[in-house]
Amino acid sequence: MTPGEPLVLGIETSCDETGVGIVRGTTLLADAVASSVDEHARFGGVVPEIASRAHVAAMVPTLERACADAGVALADVDAVAVTAGPGLAGALLVGSSAAQALSWSLNKPLYGVNHLAAHVAVDRLEHGPLPQPAIALLVSGGHTSLLLVDDVTAEIEPLGSTLDDAAGEAFDKVARLLGLPFPGGPQVDRVAVGGDATAIRFPRGLTLPKDLVRHRHDFSFSGLKTSVARWVQARQEAGETIDVADVAASFQEAVVDVLVTKSLAACRDTGVDHLLIGGGVAANSRLRALAAQRCEAAGVALRVPRPGLCTDNGAMVAALGSAMVAAGVPPSPLGIAVDSSAPVTDVSVG
Ligand code: KG4
Ligand code: ZN
């Protein structure tokens, strides 16, 4: 840590995690997260109203915990960053209101930032400044994209994205089908460890030669999800027992295979030899292992933050905010508007 680098506080409330992170430069000082996931579990998905109310209840305690963990006082903070989109509108409003109150009362600049860019920027905290340029594979519950990132504070060029379900959404839906609790991604990951990934050959979406022309860098997971549903239903109707571990492992392999294959194709097509993976699904153990193996074979340098920094947190927002401060990006006006469907190209939101 360089003394004198700005101390940036980041707030994340776009979905069901209330996150407050504190960084100085690229050094992570605190990463406090309170999750309302248990309150949504019985509904099988995130309920926006419940998430918003949980953010209101968790905001001040999480803020206090982050300051205590970092050993700093709010008065020491040099800038405040907050996720202003994309995400659930009511949930985003809680974080942006808190951030605006802090910015105003501390008289410090405010940065409304893009959640998706923050998923990419967080790796600064673990592996230092981002390679320029890099191909970023962004895989979360709501988004799946391949991006050409030159400067994460300014230039993100989308190369492709999912035409239907996000990768995380596919994990969550297949988990539900297999009777695993919400959120399903970590459950499928856990169960798949004991399964045979070659047991069932599930389809790899948008990988046929004709797809590789029109949708070379795009993804599709809804056909895979339907294929798993049909496979399970056929076995159930025949009265056969289903080996959940084999189905989970085979499904996971189909998702991960496509993600890694398309990421490396994007690296080849653009001549970029750095791949960065971010978002909740980047916590997946099989994705991390296969990406490491295939990147090494292809001579591509791989960067993936540790699992705790892949899923939603405030540190990623602070990491992007601190990069924006360092790059001299102008702060947002007080009174930022949240944008629930902010495109990944808008690094500053609101
Ligand atoms: O980035 P994130 O925390 O929130 C969004 O911005 O959406 O991503 C959440 C998604 C969920 O769909 C969750 O099931 C998935 O990431 N996920 C995983 C794993 N951990 C979280 N998917 C597969 N394997 C995991 N280990
Ligand atoms: Zn996220």
Side-chain angles (χ1 to χ4, degrees):
M1 166 168 52
T2 314
E5 281 186 299
L7 188 71
V8 180
L9 182 138
I11 297 180
E12 157 61 36
T13 62
S14 69
C15 193
D16 57 343
E17 261 89 38
T18 311
V20 179
I22 300 177
V23 308
R24 190 182 288 284
T26 56
T27 304
L28 176 62
L29 301 181
D31 178 21
V33 178
S35 179
S36 60
V37 67
D38 293 344
E39 295 174 57
H40 306 285
R42 70 192 171 101
F43 301 102
V46 175
V47 183
E49 177 72 15
I50 293 177
S52 304
R53 287 170 183 270
H55 287 309
V56 171
M59 181 52 66
V60 171
T62 310
L63 198 55
E64 285 172 347
R65 188 149 57 86
C67 286
D69 291 351
V72 301
L74 276 178
D76 301 330
V77 168
D78 296 305
V80 179
V82 63
T83 299
L88 303 169
L92 290 166
L93 281 168
V94 178
S96 77
S97 302
Q100 288 172 77
L102 283 171
S103 162
W104 183 77
S105 57
L106 299 169
N107 195 24
K108 290 293 155 63
L110 175 68
Y111 293 82
V113 309
N114 189 304
H115 180 82
L116 308 174
H119 269 307
V120 176
V122 70
D123 197 55
R124 302 174 75 232
L125 304 178
E126 195 145 67
H127 301 113
L130 300 188
Q132 286 182 254
I135 293 294
L137 169 68
L138 176 77
V139 272
S140 70
H143 293 83
T144 297
S145 302
L146 271 169
L147 311 166
L148 174 59
V149 183
D150 191 19
D151 171 358
V152 74
T153 67
E155 286 221 44
I156 299 185
E157 182 191 330
L159 300 176
S161 64
T162 181
L163 304 183
D164 39 60
D165 292 351
E169 196 179 348
F171 268 96
D172 295 338
K173 287 177 176 171
V174 165
R176 189 198 285 210
L177 207 86
L178 295 176
L180 300 170
F182 173 84
Q187 302 289 336
V188 170
D189 193 349
R190 184 180 55 79
V191 169
V193 172
D196 174 5
T198 63
I200 311 149
R201 176 78 194 178
F202 285 126
R204 271 67 171 158
L206 295 184
T207 54
L208 295 175
K210 69 171 171 35
D211 299 325
L212 292 179
V213 179
R214 268 194 68 205
H215 291 294
R216 190 166 177 74
H217 302 306
D218 292 326
F219 302 94
S220 168
F221 296 109
S222 78
L224 168 61
K225 174 195 65 194
T226 307
S227 173
V228 177
R230 289 221 181 99
W231 193 94
V232 169
Q233 194 185 2
R235 299 303 172 292
Q236 281 169 338
E237 283 171 4
E240 295 174 26
T241 45
I242 291 159
D243 188 325
V244 172
D246 281 356
V247 181
S250 301
F251 156 76
Q252 177 175 268
E253 197 65 20
V255 175
V256 165
D257 182 18
V258 175
L259 291 176
V260 176
T261 302
K262 293 214 170 207
S263 299
L264 285 173
C267 288
R268 267 198 315 278
D269 294 350
T270 53
V272 172
D273 60 1
H274 281 87
L275 173 66
L276 214 148
I277 310 185
V281 181
N284 183 267
S285 62
R286 182 59 188 149
L287 174 58
R288 301 170 77 90
L290 190 69
Q293 185 193 325
R294 291 214 196 141
C295 282
E296 193 183 352
V300 168
L302 174 69
R303 289 180 49 160
V304 197
R306 70 179 127 90
L309 291 179
C310 292
T311 45
D312 288 351
N313 62 78
M316 66 192 222
V317 180
L320 179 55
S322 126
M324 290 165 87
V325 172
V329 175
S332 311
L334 205 56
I336 54 171
V338 300
D339 180 355
S340 58
S341 55
V344 67
T345 43
D346 294 353
V347 179
S348 296
V349 179

